[in-house]
Structure formats: C-alpha cells, structure tokens
Amino acid sequence: MGNIYDGAFRTILNDCRKLIIPVINEIFAEEYTGEEEVQFFPNEHFLAQQDEGNKERITDTNFTILGKIKKKYHLECESSLPDGRMTIRLFEYDAQIALDEGEVTEEVLRVTFPNTAVLYLRTYKKTPDKMKYVIVTPGGTVQYDVPIMKVQTYSLDDIFDKKLLLLIPFYIFSHEKRFPEYNDNEEKLSELKAEYHTILDRLDEMERLGVIGAFDKRTIIELSNDVVKEIAQKYENVQKGVGDIMGGALIETEARTILNQGKNQGRDETKKKMALRMLDDGELSVEKIARYSGLKVAEVEQLAKVRTK
C-alpha cells in the first residue's frame, strides 16, 4: 500500500493509542471500556528465508491490551486488490510475533498467536468478509478466521456513533470513485466539502465533551489532510476543496493554542504573532488570516507589508 496511507495508519495508532480500542471492540466484539492500557511492541521482525538469509518484515501494528484478560493483537491496513499474498504475509507476521514471545520449558515450545485482523481501505468485488488460516499438523488440524474491516462500508454516523475515529483519515476512500464527478461539478464538490465541515464540527463537539483531547483532534485532521492530498493527486479541485478545509482547521487549531498560551502576554501582541505565523505559511488569504487571528484586515495587510521589508 502507499507509504502515505501506511504512515498515516501507524502514526494515528502510535500517537493516539486509545483510538484503537473502539476499533478492536468493533472487529472482535470485545467490550473494552477505553480505559485499558495499550502496550505497543516493535514492528520489525526478521524472517528466515531460504536462499535469502534473514528478511526484514515490518508489521503495521503489534500490541497488547491489558483488560481483564491480557490479549495480543496484530492489525494490518491494506488498500490493494486481494490476491492471496496478504494472507501469506499475515501468517508470516503472526508466526514471528508468536515466536518472539514463545517460551521453551523442558523442550516444550509454547507459542501464542495474536488476534489478527485487516482493515481494507478499498473494497473490491473480490474482497472477502474474512480470511482463514488452516494449519495441518501431525497432531491435528487447527483453523480460525481472520476478520476483515471494510472501511468504505462505514458512514460518518457509524464512525462517530461507534467512536471509530481512527477511520476518519481514511473516510475519503468512500468517495474515491466519484472524484471525476466532484472535480467537474462544483455543486457535487460542495456536498463533499459539507461532509468535511460536518466532520470538523463533530470533532469539535467530541473535544468539548472530553471524549478526545486537542492533540488527538489535531492528529486526525492533519492525517486526513495528508491522505486527501495523496489520494486526490489527479483531481485538483477535490484536493484543493477538501484540503483547504482541513488545512484551515489545522491553522485555526494552532491559532487557538497560541491564543490560550498568550492570555498573560497581551492579547493584541498574541494576535499579531499568530497572524505573522500564518503569513509565513503563505497558504491563507489575508481575509482568512484576519478571521482566524481576530485582527482587522487592514492590520493583517500592514503586518504583511512590514514582513516583506
């Protein structure tokens, strides 16, 4: 899968660890409260390959949730067409994760395989509802399912009602097939932009209620912006339309932080400092900078003149 999507997935998991718990509840029908500790483990594993020596494999996630029962999980994120190779890679990862923590007592090897699942960002006709391992051993056959979460099947209401906020950066995949239409039709593009305004409003509400923190919200917005820029590269209007919304929200979030930090430093001076930082970014119009900073347009224009001297 693309490095941008892979990086976004790993970033939101490592930086906003609690967001994984509702996803695990959804996939595995668990009942975690969200207060459980999540422990992440190294993603790099070295697999012995015939004629290749040790080959490095990097998993997307390898973590344990410390609930009433300690459980280990392995979650992968995928955007490509299912072709059977993903199942092989998953089993390689799972076997290595199990071996890494295996125990040998009196020549008895005990290994524990993780609870494994795959998040598919794109859904194709060939995308199954689950994968399956069938392991034939001299002592008998073991088989179990590997569940699949199809991100595109979740509506915004589903995501917010179930607190699956980890999926928000990838919500744009649900609209990917309509990019040509959005790109050529301003009215249709406005509908897409309205959905992203709704996302921001609902994130603001969740922050206000204490469901998520300011850092989590900023991370979700930033990664959403990154994914949109990558997936809509060929559709300038889509990229700019949604990107401006998310980029503006990022700057506004930063602006609020600066204002809060500057309460004791003089409000006017703080507003000017904030406006100068936005001018340095060079991404917003004078009017938007004035709105976000709380200054008048004329004041921002004057700052811009001083800045260029």
Side-chain angles (χ1 to χ4, degrees):
M1 77 186 266
N3 289 333
I4 294 295
Y5 311 142
D6 193 35
F9 182 65
R10 291 180 184 174
T11 296
I12 196 168
L13 278 175
N14 284 284
D15 291 355
C16 310
R17 297 187 174 191
K18 291 293 185 180
L19 297 186
I20 189 59
I21 292 180
V23 173
I24 293 299
N25 284 343
E26 176 72 8
I27 295 174
F28 294 100
E30 299 282 11
E31 295 182 351
Y32 294 121
T33 65
E35 298 303 316
E36 294 81 4
E37 182 181 351
V38 182
Q39 293 181 342
F40 278 78
F41 296 89
N43 291 346
E44 296 81 8
H45 301 281
F46 291 89
L47 310 178
Q49 300 283 322
Q50 190 173 13
D51 301 326
E52 293 185 32
N54 287 338
K55 188 173 183 179
E56 185 179 19
R57 290 287 200 187
I58 300 178
T59 61
D60 281 342
T61 62
N62 173 19
F63 59 95
T64 294
I65 297 180
L66 303 179
K68 294 179 180 178
I69 300 174
K70 180 180 177 180
K71 286 189 179 182
K72 195 165 189 62
Y73 294 93
H74 169 210
L75 199 59
E76 291 288 323
C77 188
E78 185 64 47
S79 63
S80 60
L81 182 70
D83 58 5
R85 289 180 294 180
M86 182 65 186
T87 311
I88 294 172
R89 291 201 307 273
L90 275 180
F91 184 76
E92 287 180 336
Y93 297 155
D94 286 348
Q96 194 60 52
I97 290 170
L99 279 172
D100 286 347
E101 298 186 8
E103 296 180 351
V104 178
T105 305
E106 296 180 353
E107 301 307 317
V108 175
L109 171 64
R110 178 180 294 275
V111 293
T112 301
F113 274 63
N115 296 276
T116 301
V118 183
L119 271 69
Y120 267 99
L121 304 183
R122 293 186 175 99
T123 302
Y124 303 90
K125 289 183 179 180
K126 289 180 62 177
T127 306
D129 293 325
K130 61 186 177 183
M131 298 176 178
K132 182 185 288 287
Y133 292 161
V134 179
I135 308 166
V136 180
T137 78
T141 298
V142 176
Q143 61 180 354
Y144 60 94
D145 294 335
V146 175
I148 288 175
M149 171 179 266
K150 299 176 181 178
V151 174
Q152 289 180 318
T153 64
Y154 288 85
S155 68
L156 277 185
D157 285 339
D158 292 333
I159 289 171
F160 280 98
D161 291 346
K162 296 181 178 183
K163 297 183 174 61
L164 303 174
L165 306 185
L166 183 145
L167 302 186
I168 290 177
F170 309 107
Y171 177 70
I172 192 66
F173 278 87
S174 300
H175 291 278
E176 186 178 16
K177 292 180 180 178
R178 298 184 65 188
F179 280 177
E181 181 183 6
Y182 294 141
N183 207 58
D184 297 333
N185 187 317
E186 181 59 38
E187 183 177 347
K188 294 296 182 181
L189 180 59
S190 294
E191 294 174 4
L192 176 63
K193 290 160 66 175
E195 284 200 23
Y196 274 83
H197 281 299
T198 298
I199 288 173
L200 293 175
D201 289 342
R202 295 183 77 164
L203 286 174
D204 283 343
E205 179 66 8
M206 295 192 87
E207 181 190 13
R208 187 185 68 79
L209 294 174
V211 178
I212 59 173
F215 178 80
D216 290 344
K217 186 182 78 170
R218 179 181 172 80
T219 301
I220 291 170
I221 295 171
E222 185 173 8
L223 295 177
S224 297
N225 194 31
D226 290 345
V227 172
V228 168
K229 286 181 179 179
E230 176 69 15
I231 196 175
Q233 286 185 61
K234 298 179 181 178
Y235 303 94
E236 182 179 357
N237 292 334
V238 175
Q239 189 183 68
K240 189 175 189 308
V242 179
D244 282 355
I245 293 170
M246 305 311 279
L250 277 175
I251 293 173
E252 186 175 4
T253 300
E254 183 176 355
R256 289 176 183 170
T257 301
I258 294 172
L259 280 173
N260 290 334
Q261 291 174 343
K263 283 180 179 177
N264 298 323
Q265 300 173 5
R267 200 166 183 81
D268 288 342
E269 195 61 35
T270 302
K271 289 179 180 180
K272 290 177 181 178
K273 178 182 176 184
M274 179 169 48
L276 284 169
R277 290 181 66 172
M278 286 187 269
L279 284 167
D280 286 338
D281 284 339
E283 295 184 1
L284 292 180
S285 66
V286 169
E287 290 75 16
K288 285 188 176 180
I289 293 174
R291 185 166 76 248
Y292 292 149
S293 65
L295 294 173
K296 295 179 181 178
V297 171
E299 291 176 307
V300 176
E301 290 174 340
Q302 182 62 34
L303 285 173
K305 289 178 181 177
V306 173
R307 174 175 161 272
T308 56
K309 287 183 179 179

PDB file of all heavy atoms in Angstrom, residues 143-160:
ATOM      1  N   GLN A 143      -7.780 -24.446  12.680  1.00  0.00           N
ATOM      2  CA  GLN A 143      -8.215 -23.414  11.748  1.00  0.00           C
ATOM      3  C   GLN A 143      -8.987 -22.326  12.488  1.00  0.00           C
ATOM      4  O   GLN A 143      -9.666 -22.596  13.477  1.00  0.00           O
ATOM      5  CB  GLN A 143      -9.080 -23.999  10.632  1.00  0.00           C
ATOM      6  CG  GLN A 143     -10.356 -24.670  11.075  1.00  0.00           C
ATOM      7  CD  GLN A 143     -11.144 -25.213   9.888  1.00  0.00           C
ATOM      8  OE1 GLN A 143     -10.794 -24.986   8.737  1.00  0.00           O
ATOM      9  NE2 GLN A 143     -12.217 -25.929  10.173  1.00  0.00           N
ATOM     10  N   TYR A 144      -8.820 -21.098  12.009  1.00  0.00           N
ATOM     11  CA  TYR A 144      -9.575 -19.991  12.600  1.00  0.00           C
ATOM     12  C   TYR A 144      -9.640 -18.844  11.602  1.00  0.00           C
ATOM     13  O   TYR A 144      -8.863 -18.772  10.653  1.00  0.00           O
ATOM     14  CB  TYR A 144      -8.972 -19.538  13.935  1.00  0.00           C
ATOM     15  CG  TYR A 144      -7.545 -19.040  13.882  1.00  0.00           C
ATOM     16  CD1 TYR A 144      -7.258 -17.683  13.747  1.00  0.00           C
ATOM     17  CD2 TYR A 144      -6.481 -19.933  14.018  1.00  0.00           C
ATOM     18  CE1 TYR A 144      -5.951 -17.224  13.732  1.00  0.00           C
ATOM     19  CE2 TYR A 144      -5.165 -19.482  14.003  1.00  0.00           C
ATOM     20  CZ  TYR A 144      -4.905 -18.124  13.859  1.00  0.00           C
ATOM     21  OH  TYR A 144      -3.606 -17.674  13.839  1.00  0.00           O
ATOM     22  N   ASP A 145     -10.621 -17.962  11.817  1.00  0.00           N
ATOM     23  CA  ASP A 145     -10.866 -16.848  10.901  1.00  0.00           C
ATOM     24  C   ASP A 145     -10.031 -15.637  11.265  1.00  0.00           C
ATOM     25  O   ASP A 145      -9.727 -15.388  12.439  1.00  0.00           O
ATOM     26  CB  ASP A 145     -12.346 -16.445  10.935  1.00  0.00           C
ATOM     27  CG  ASP A 145     -13.261 -17.534  10.391  1.00  0.00           C
ATOM     28  OD1 ASP A 145     -12.778 -18.351   9.582  1.00  0.00           O
ATOM     29  OD2 ASP A 145     -14.445 -17.564  10.773  1.00  0.00           O
ATOM     30  N   VAL A 146      -9.680 -14.860  10.244  1.00  0.00           N
ATOM     31  CA  VAL A 146      -9.046 -13.555  10.404  1.00  0.00           C
ATOM     32  C   VAL A 146     -10.045 -12.531   9.878  1.00  0.00           C
ATOM     33  O   VAL A 146     -10.289 -12.449   8.673  1.00  0.00           O
ATOM     34  CB  VAL A 146      -7.732 -13.467   9.611  1.00  0.00           C
ATOM     35  CG1 VAL A 146      -7.156 -12.053   9.699  1.00  0.00           C
ATOM     36  CG2 VAL A 146      -6.713 -14.486  10.120  1.00  0.00           C
ATOM     37  N   PRO A 147     -10.707 -11.776  10.764  1.00  0.00           N
ATOM     38  CA  PRO A 147     -11.754 -10.842  10.324  1.00  0.00           C
ATOM     39  C   PRO A 147     -11.225  -9.683   9.499  1.00  0.00           C
ATOM     40  O   PRO A 147     -10.053  -9.294   9.621  1.00  0.00           O
ATOM     41  CB  PRO A 147     -12.375 -10.353  11.633  1.00  0.00           C
ATOM     42  CG  PRO A 147     -11.326 -10.591  12.671  1.00  0.00           C
ATOM     43  CD  PRO A 147     -10.541 -11.789  12.223  1.00  0.00           C
ATOM     44  N   ILE A 148     -12.086  -9.149   8.663  1.00  0.00           N
ATOM     45  CA  ILE A 148     -11.749  -8.013   7.808  1.00  0.00           C
ATOM     46  C   ILE A 148     -12.706  -6.865   8.109  1.00  0.00           C
ATOM     47  O   ILE A 148     -13.918  -7.058   8.173  1.00  0.00           O
ATOM     48  CB  ILE A 148     -11.847  -8.395   6.323  1.00  0.00           C
ATOM     49  CG1 ILE A 148     -10.680  -9.320   5.938  1.00  0.00           C
ATOM     50  CG2 ILE A 148     -11.850  -7.156   5.426  1.00  0.00           C
ATOM     51  CD1 ILE A 148     -10.761  -9.854   4.522  1.00  0.00           C
ATOM     52  N   MET A 149     -12.163  -5.679   8.313  1.00  0.00           N
ATOM     53  CA  MET A 149     -12.974  -4.467   8.458  1.00  0.00           C
ATOM     54  C   MET A 149     -12.892  -3.692   7.146  1.00  0.00           C
ATOM     55  O   MET A 149     -11.798  -3.317   6.712  1.00  0.00           O
ATOM     56  CB  MET A 149     -12.470  -3.596   9.616  1.00  0.00           C
ATOM     57  CG  MET A 149     -13.132  -2.221   9.670  1.00  0.00           C
ATOM     58  SD  MET A 149     -12.545  -1.196  11.055  1.00  0.00           S
ATOM     59  CE  MET A 149     -13.794  -1.570  12.288  1.00  0.00           C
ATOM     60  N   LYS A 150     -14.027  -3.474   6.513  1.00  0.00           N
ATOM     61  CA  LYS A 150     -14.081  -2.744   5.247  1.00  0.00           C
ATOM     62  C   LYS A 150     -14.433  -1.284   5.551  1.00  0.00           C
ATOM     63  O   LYS A 150     -15.589  -0.949   5.826  1.00  0.00           O
ATOM     64  CB  LYS A 150     -15.110  -3.372   4.317  1.00  0.00           C
ATOM     65  CG  LYS A 150     -14.793  -4.825   3.963  1.00  0.00           C
ATOM     66  CD  LYS A 150     -15.882  -5.450   3.110  1.00  0.00           C
ATOM     67  CE  LYS A 150     -15.566  -6.901   2.788  1.00  0.00           C
ATOM     68  NZ  LYS A 150     -16.633  -7.550   1.987  1.00  0.00           N
ATOM     69  N   VAL A 151     -13.423  -0.444   5.497  1.00  0.00           N
ATOM     70  CA  VAL A 151     -13.566   0.954   5.914  1.00  0.00           C
ATOM     71  C   VAL A 151     -14.655   1.661   5.118  1.00  0.00           C
ATOM     72  O   VAL A 151     -15.409   2.478   5.665  1.00  0.00           O
ATOM     73  CB  VAL A 151     -12.215   1.688   5.771  1.00  0.00           C
ATOM     74  CG1 VAL A 151     -12.383   3.172   6.057  1.00  0.00           C
ATOM     75  CG2 VAL A 151     -11.182   1.080   6.708  1.00  0.00           C
ATOM     76  N   GLN A 152     -14.781   1.363   3.836  1.00  0.00           N
ATOM     77  CA  GLN A 152     -15.733   2.061   2.975  1.00  0.00           C
ATOM     78  C   GLN A 152     -17.197   1.766   3.317  1.00  0.00           C
ATOM     79  O   GLN A 152     -18.089   2.468   2.854  1.00  0.00           O
ATOM     80  CB  GLN A 152     -15.477   1.708   1.514  1.00  0.00           C
ATOM     81  CG  GLN A 152     -14.189   2.325   0.966  1.00  0.00           C
ATOM     82  CD  GLN A 152     -13.967   1.958  -0.488  1.00  0.00           C
ATOM     83  OE1 GLN A 152     -14.169   0.824  -0.904  1.00  0.00           O
ATOM     84  NE2 GLN A 152     -13.552   2.930  -1.296  1.00  0.00           N
ATOM     85  N   THR A 153     -17.445   0.749   4.120  1.00  0.00           N
ATOM     86  CA  THR A 153     -18.827   0.419   4.470  1.00  0.00           C
ATOM     87  C   THR A 153     -19.344   1.224   5.653  1.00  0.00           C
ATOM     88  O   THR A 153     -20.531   1.126   5.998  1.00  0.00           O
ATOM     89  CB  THR A 153     -18.960  -1.082   4.796  1.00  0.00           C
ATOM     90  OG1 THR A 153     -18.187  -1.390   5.964  1.00  0.00           O
ATOM     91  CG2 THR A 153     -18.486  -1.939   3.628  1.00  0.00           C
ATOM     92  N   TYR A 154     -18.475   2.038   6.273  1.00  0.00           N
ATOM     93  CA  TYR A 154     -18.883   2.804   7.455  1.00  0.00           C
ATOM     94  C   TYR A 154     -19.225   4.238   7.073  1.00  0.00           C
ATOM     95  O   TYR A 154     -18.420   4.952   6.489  1.00  0.00           O
ATOM     96  CB  TYR A 154     -17.763   2.794   8.511  1.00  0.00           C
ATOM     97  CG  TYR A 154     -17.606   1.451   9.183  1.00  0.00           C
ATOM     98  CD1 TYR A 154     -16.832   0.447   8.604  1.00  0.00           C
ATOM     99  CD2 TYR A 154     -18.256   1.176  10.384  1.00  0.00           C
ATOM    100  CE1 TYR A 154     -16.695  -0.789   9.210  1.00  0.00           C
ATOM    101  CE2 TYR A 154     -18.133  -0.064  11.000  1.00  0.00           C
ATOM    102  CZ  TYR A 154     -17.349  -1.043  10.402  1.00  0.00           C
ATOM    103  OH  TYR A 154     -17.231  -2.270  11.006  1.00  0.00           O
ATOM    104  N   SER A 155     -20.446   4.639   7.417  1.00  0.00           N
ATOM    105  CA  SER A 155     -20.879   6.014   7.183  1.00  0.00           C
ATOM    106  C   SER A 155     -20.291   6.919   8.269  1.00  0.00           C
ATOM    107  O   SER A 155     -19.748   6.441   9.277  1.00  0.00           O
ATOM    108  CB  SER A 155     -22.404   6.102   7.213  1.00  0.00           C
ATOM    109  OG  SER A 155     -22.886   5.847   8.531  1.00  0.00           O
ATOM    110  N   LEU A 156     -20.444   8.222   8.076  1.00  0.00           N
ATOM    111  CA  LEU A 156     -19.983   9.156   9.113  1.00  0.00           C
ATOM    112  C   LEU A 156     -20.712   8.924  10.429  1.00  0.00           C
ATOM    113  O   LEU A 156     -20.112   8.982  11.507  1.00  0.00           O
ATOM    114  CB  LEU A 156     -20.189  10.598   8.655  1.00  0.00           C
ATOM    115  CG  LEU A 156     -19.118  11.207   7.756  1.00  0.00           C
ATOM    116  CD1 LEU A 156     -19.432  12.677   7.497  1.00  0.00           C
ATOM    117  CD2 LEU A 156     -17.733  11.055   8.356  1.00  0.00           C
ATOM    118  N   ASP A 157     -22.016   8.665  10.358  1.00  0.00           N
ATOM    119  CA  ASP A 157     -22.770   8.394  11.580  1.00  0.00           C
ATOM    120  C   ASP A 157     -22.242   7.148  12.278  1.00  0.00           C
ATOM    121  O   ASP A 157     -22.110   7.121  13.511  1.00  0.00           O
ATOM    122  CB  ASP A 157     -24.260   8.226  11.267  1.00  0.00           C
ATOM    123  CG  ASP A 157     -24.948   9.552  10.986  1.00  0.00           C
ATOM    124  OD1 ASP A 157     -24.407  10.601  11.402  1.00  0.00           O
ATOM    125  OD2 ASP A 157     -26.018   9.547  10.348  1.00  0.00           O
ATOM    126  N   ASP A 158     -21.923   6.108  11.495  1.00  0.00           N
ATOM    127  CA  ASP A 158     -21.347   4.900  12.083  1.00  0.00           C
ATOM    128  C   ASP A 158     -20.042   5.228  12.805  1.00  0.00           C
ATOM    129  O   ASP A 158     -19.815   4.793  13.938  1.00  0.00           O
ATOM    130  CB  ASP A 158     -21.041   3.855  10.998  1.00  0.00           C
ATOM    131  CG  ASP A 158     -22.282   3.272  10.356  1.00  0.00           C
ATOM    132  OD1 ASP A 158     -23.327   3.241  11.015  1.00  0.00           O
ATOM    133  OD2 ASP A 158     -22.199   2.849   9.180  1.00  0.00           O
ATOM    134  N   ILE A 159     -19.201   5.983  12.136  1.00  0.00           N
ATOM    135  CA  ILE A 159     -17.875   6.299  12.678  1.00  0.00           C
ATOM    136  C   ILE A 159     -17.978   7.059  13.994  1.00  0.00           C
ATOM    137  O   ILE A 159     -17.302   6.730  14.978  1.00  0.00           O
ATOM    138  CB  ILE A 159     -17.055   7.099  11.646  1.00  0.00           C
ATOM    139  CG1 ILE A 159     -16.645   6.190  10.480  1.00  0.00           C
ATOM    140  CG2 ILE A 159     -15.815   7.723  12.293  1.00  0.00           C
ATOM    141  CD1 ILE A 159     -16.017   6.922   9.315  1.00  0.00           C
ATOM    142  N   PHE A 160     -18.855   8.066  14.032  1.00  0.00           N
ATOM    143  CA  PHE A 160     -18.956   8.870  15.254  1.00  0.00           C
ATOM    144  C   PHE A 160     -19.776   8.165  16.330  1.00  0.00           C
ATOM    145  O   PHE A 160     -19.430   8.239  17.515  1.00  0.00           O
ATOM    146  CB  PHE A 160     -19.540  10.241  14.932  1.00  0.00           C
ATOM    147  CG  PHE A 160     -18.524  11.195  14.361  1.00  0.00           C
ATOM    148  CD1 PHE A 160     -18.426  11.391  12.992  1.00  0.00           C
ATOM    149  CD2 PHE A 160     -17.644  11.869  15.184  1.00  0.00           C
ATOM    150  CE1 PHE A 160     -17.478  12.255  12.459  1.00  0.00           C
ATOM    151  CE2 PHE A 160     -16.688  12.741  14.672  1.00  0.00           C
ATOM    152  CZ  PHE A 160     -16.606  12.923  13.304  1.00  0.00           C
TER     153      PHE A 160
END
